[in-house]
Amino acid sequence: LDNKVTLRHSIRGKIKFEKKLFSINTEYYYQPSISDYKDYILYGTAKLTIFPNKPLSFISQQTLNYRSVSSFKIIQNIYRYVQIYF
């Protein structure tokens, strides 16, 4: 386990797009090391919703966590679910 201390800064990108039948929301962060540009973290989420303003909607969501200098570089989860409002 590497206990190296790294000073980072962060840049965030966010997109939100909504229509009557679907919506797309994404938010990602890029965090490079200040001392080494090859050492960076990229993480965020992307979400697609079908019928967002209806009592029954379908959602697909992805989460991503990428570390450029880690031996285990990427963790990615994909979720699909149904949302019901009563």
Side-chain angles (χ1 to χ4, degrees), residues 60-78:
S60 180
Q61 182 173 335
Q62 175 221 16
T63 60
L64 175 75
N65 191 338
Y66 178 83
R67 297 178 184 268
S68 65
V69 295
S70 175
S71 59
F72 191 74
K73 293 190 181 295
I74 191 167
I75 297 173
Q76 181 174 356
N77 297 306
I78 298 174

Side-chain angles (χ1 to χ4, degrees), residues 2-53:
D2 187 12
N3 290 327
K4 181 175 79 169
V5 176
T6 302
L7 182 61
R8 299 182 182 279
H9 60 86
S10 181
I11 300 169
R12 178 181 77 161
K14 184 175 183 177
I15 297 172
K16 188 172 185 178
F17 181 77
E18 293 186 13
K19 290 290 185 182
K20 190 174 183 176
L21 295 178
F22 69 95
S23 68
I24 298 171
N25 296 306
T26 64
E27 186 169 23
Y28 282 89
Y29 293 86
Y30 171 68
Q31 295 181 324
S33 168
I34 290 178
S35 61
D36 180 10
Y37 71 92
K38 293 180 182 179
D39 177 6
Y40 64 91
I41 298 170
L42 177 66
Y43 70 94
T45 62
K47 183 177 178 181
L48 169 67
T49 306
I50 307 294
F51 309 124
N53 299 317

